[in-house]
Amino acid sequence: MDVIRLLGIRDTSLSVDEVLAAVADHAAGGTAFFVGTVREQDHGKPVTRLAYSAHPSAEAELRQVAEKVAADFPVTAIAAVHRVGELELGDTAVIVAVAAPHRDEAFKAARRLIDDLKAQVPIWKHQVFADGETEWVGAGE
């Protein structure tokens, strides 16, 4: 069975329950989970709106990131989903989860998964601040 159980770039709400179910595994002694949400400020400035957009290759790039994590860590299951489109404050933007035989492996693999996703997968965030300024933030930044 493939350890990569769920990957996706979606324009609909993300489900923590779906991701947890995807990585459920009797061989795992630990599951590490990260949920990224839209916050009300960035750089000390109030955010009024934001949107994520993704390159058409984003899901393939996400698969490569997950495959590298699976190759580098003794994991039993991996899941990662990222939202695109307009999001509101508090909305879930990204969820990653990794199951492994031991908690240390799960934590390390999950950390690598979210860090590499943010650094390598071509997904960009467009933020609009209360003062009217805007900012694009994307893969590798």
Side-chain angles (χ1 to χ4, degrees):
M1 177 188 255
D2 189 9
V3 300
I4 300 172
R5 307 273 179 84
L6 174 67
L7 295 176
I9 308 296
R10 300 180 176 169
D11 63 359
T12 58
S13 295
L14 305 180
S15 167
V16 169
D17 290 338
E18 177 191 23
V19 173
L20 269 178
V23 296
D25 193 304
H26 293 297
T31 301
F33 204 75
F34 174 79
V35 178
T37 56
V38 177
R39 62 182 175 262
E40 66 184 3
Q41 62 82 33
D42 197 12
H43 310 296
K45 295 168 51 173
V47 173
T48 59
R49 296 190 326 263
L50 70 78
Y52 285 96
S53 58
H55 189 272
S57 69
E59 200 159 314
E61 297 287 333
L62 178 56
R63 177 159 290 281
Q64 289 181 356
V65 165
E67 287 171 349
K68 180 74 169 128
V69 170
D72 290 349
F73 295 92
V75 300
T76 62
I78 293 175
V81 289
H82 202 295
R83 177 102 181 261
V84 292
E86 297 282 332
L87 281 77
E88 301 293 327
L89 295 179
D91 281 351
T92 300
V94 62
I95 305 171
V96 301
V98 176
H102 302 285
R103 72 178 174 274
D104 189 48
E105 298 157 341
F107 279 125
K108 288 178 181 175
R111 178 62 185 250
R112 168 80 81 68
L113 181 59
I114 189 61
D115 287 350
D116 288 358
L117 183 161
K118 297 304 270 180
Q120 298 173 29
V121 178
I123 297 172
W124 301 277
K125 175 174 60 173
H126 183 230
Q127 300 188 110
V128 178
F129 297 100
D131 63 6
E133 286 189 40
T134 66
E135 173 186 54
W136 283 94
V137 180
E141 293 185 33

